[in-house]
């Protein structure tokens, strides 16, 4: 394969996502949400972005669906590619970033069930071509808006910063003692990932869930606790949750990556006084 052929085959999912986004937007199957940063909260070498939606759409609209399961079947205008025999990569109908992708199961699988080897294999197929920040919200308390199994991907270029809080995760991986509070150690499980092996990734996920008391699929029919999952090329992190949000902020996996969304009910004065880390500390489960 020559250099031009290699370049053409790289990030094919991303290129299709951009093409489908333009098409789906014209068909009104895709409704991008325009946001703006209203505040940035800096903590040493990492930070949080606080955004608000400036599109003419309410946050409640995002939680409403015309059918009980919008992924069965999914809107073909949003389809990017079939991944293996059991998964499909589609566009998020309401993206806050162009090309926001969802990896869904073709047949019914519950969002609040255990992620499987097939899920991780499909994730790795996508990630080996188009990588970035993956996140998963296990149930409504963890920020899930749909009951059908879906993992989400925000694409990042190789040299892009993964997320505002990426240095925080790097410090935790390096066992920075200033981060090792009791709440942190009992609510987060973070492991390095050093290969594109789906089996190793799945084993790290299972190990994290067992360590946090979320359970194991070998014993428990479903996870015993709500959780968020973040995956990068270098690490995997599971965060055990106690509540969906507080002070008017709804938090999903992106909140732990450093992305916060404010609505008219959000108490921004709380963030100004106590900071976003305090907000996160109060919605994780340290038990």
């Amino acid at each position: 394969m020559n250099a031009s052929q290699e370049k053409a085959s790289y990030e094919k999912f991303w290129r299709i996502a951009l093409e489908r986004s333009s098409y789906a937007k014209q068909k009104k199957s895709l409704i991008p949400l325009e946001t703006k940063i209203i505040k940035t909260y800096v903590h040493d070498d990492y930070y949080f972005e606080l955004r608000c939606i400036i599109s003419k759409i309410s946050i409640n609209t995002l939680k409403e669906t015309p059918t009980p399961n919008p992924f069965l079947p999914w809107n073909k205008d949003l389809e990017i590619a079939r991944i293996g025999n059991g998964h499909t990569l589609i566009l998020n109908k309401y993206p806050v970033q162009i090309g926001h992708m969802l990896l869904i199961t073709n047949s019914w699988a519950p969002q609040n069930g255990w992620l499987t080897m097939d899920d991780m294999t499909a994730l790795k197929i996508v990630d080996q071509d188009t990588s970035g920040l993956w996140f998963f919200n296990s149930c409504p308390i963890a920020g899930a808006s749909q009951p059908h199994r879906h993992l989400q991907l925000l694409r990042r270029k190789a040299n892009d910063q993964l997320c505002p809080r990426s240095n925080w995760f790097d410090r935790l991986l390096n066992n920075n003692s200033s981060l090792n509070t009791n709440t942190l150690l009992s609510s987060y499980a973070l492991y390095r990932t050093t290969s594109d092996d789906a089996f190793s990734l799945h084993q790290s996920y299972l190990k994290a869930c067992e360590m946090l008391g979320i359970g194991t699929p070998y014993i428990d029919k479903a996870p015993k606790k709500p959780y968020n999952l973040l995956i990068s090329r270098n690490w995997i992190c599971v965060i055990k949750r106690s509540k969906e949000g507080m002070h008017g902020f709804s938090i999903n996996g992106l909140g732990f990556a450093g992305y916060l969304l404010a609505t008219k009910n959000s108490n921004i004065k709380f963030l100004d006084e106590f900071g976003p880390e305090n907000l996160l500390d109060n919605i994780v489960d340290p038990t």
Side-chain angles (χ1 to χ4, degrees), residues 91-211:
L91 295 168
N92 187 333
K93 181 179 177 67
Y94 300 106
V96 294
Q97 171 190 302
I98 192 69
H100 180 171
M101 296 174 240
L102 307 179
L103 180 63
I104 67 172
T105 53
N106 295 343
S107 57
W108 165 254
Q111 185 75 354
N112 62 358
W114 293 106
L115 292 176
T116 67
M117 255 299 296
D118 286 343
D119 294 324
M120 294 302 188
T121 299
L123 182 153
K124 278 300 183 182
I125 290 173
V126 176
D127 196 70
Q128 287 169 6
D129 174 84
T130 301
S131 190
L133 175 64
W134 290 90
F135 65 102
F136 177 79
N137 310 314
S138 72
C139 63
I141 290 178
S145 60
Q146 305 297 342
H148 187 122
R149 179 78 47 81
H150 62 287
L151 294 105
Q152 306 190 51
L153 172 63
L154 298 179
R155 176 258 190 181
R156 298 287 183 265
K157 292 186 292 187
N159 296 325
D160 285 347
Q161 183 182 46
L162 182 73
C163 61
R165 210 174 175 223
S166 59
N167 285 339
W168 185 93
F169 289 100
D170 291 338
R171 289 166 61 191
L172 187 59
L173 279 171
N174 293 325
N175 296 314
N176 188 304
S177 60
S178 68
L179 296 176
N180 293 339
T181 65
N182 290 333
T183 298
L184 173 63
L185 293 175
S186 55
S187 305
Y188 291 74
L190 178 65
Y191 299 106
R192 294 185 188 277
T193 54
T194 57
S195 73
D196 285 326
D197 178 27
F199 177 79
S200 298
L201 183 65
H202 189 237
Q203 289 300 303
S204 293
Y205 159 73
L206 296 178
K207 179 181 177 181
C209 288
E210 186 170 13
M211 189 193 84

Side-chain angles (χ1 to χ4, degrees), residues 210-258:
E210 186 170 13
M211 189 193 84
L212 292 174
I214 294 170
T216 170
Y218 306 115
I219 298 174
D220 305 294
K221 185 176 180 180
K224 296 188 291 185
K225 299 277 188 176
Y227 67 92
N228 293 112
L229 173 66
L230 297 175
I231 299 176
S232 78
R233 274 282 176 91
N234 302 314
W235 48 260
I236 176 174
C237 185
V238 174
I239 306 108
K240 185 170 55 169
R241 296 288 297 275
S242 64
K243 55 177 71 77
E244 186 269 346
M246 64 181 299
H247 296 293
F249 292 95
S250 294
I251 307 295
N252 65 15
L254 289 182
F256 294 93

Side-chain angles (χ1 to χ4, degrees), residues 39 41 50 267-276:
K39 285 199 173 187
Y41 297 88
L50 179 63
N267 185 354
I268 297 177
K269 289 183 178 180
F270 172 85
L271 288 187
D272 292 342
E273 183 173 358
F274 298 102

